[in-house]
Amino acid sequence: MPEEPGFPPLHEYVLAHRCSTCGAQPGQPCDAPQKKAEIDGRNAVRDQVGRPPLETDSLHLMHAARIDAGSRHQDRDVVAAPWPEDREAGRRYDTLDQP
Ligand SMILES: [Zn+2]
């Protein structure tokens, strides 16, 4: 999904949700040792052939259910906000800071 003006990036939405897969609390990264091992393994191979490690998108270490929850939350906020051309520059239209 492209980034929307006036909204935080998707990974902030995802982090704001509790993970139903591993139980990570809001603000904490997912406990995903297999995903982490896969990325570490790939980078170890790259290191052996003299290539730099791949940049890891922070979403790659999150569980799919949590990404879905964050994505739905972002979708709701985007739908509830004014059209992009009616938004004020620099203003945030998300509901992440609200309880
Ligand atoms: Zn998780």
Side-chain angles (χ1 to χ4, degrees):
M1 177 186 291
E3 285 197 10
E4 287 271 346
F7 292 91
L10 178 59
H11 72 85
E12 283 190 30
Y13 273 95
V14 175
L15 260 186
H17 284 259
R18 184 184 167 278
C19 182
S20 60
T21 302
C22 69
Q25 294 300 310
Q28 294 191 330
C30 274
D31 180 21
Q34 289 179 356
K35 287 176 173 229
K36 179 95 172 58
E38 190 186 310
I39 290 167
D40 286 350
R42 201 180 304 153
N43 282 335
V45 171
R46 290 177 68 86
D47 189 49
Q48 283 171 11
V49 295
R51 307 281 299 276
L54 290 172
E55 290 270 327
T56 308
D57 187 321
S58 53
L59 284 175
H60 289 175
L61 285 169
M62 308 277 204
H63 287 115
R66 194 182 195 187
I67 295 173
D68 282 351
S71 181
R72 282 196 302 271
H73 187 169
Q74 188 183 43
D75 284 349
R76 278 199 304 275
D77 282 358
V78 170
V79 167
W83 289 102
E85 54 268 32
D86 294 333
R87 292 174 198 162
E88 294 167 33
R91 183 173 159 191
R92 279 175 56 152
Y93 291 91
D94 64 280
T95 58
L96 278 186
D97 293 332
Q98 297 172 17

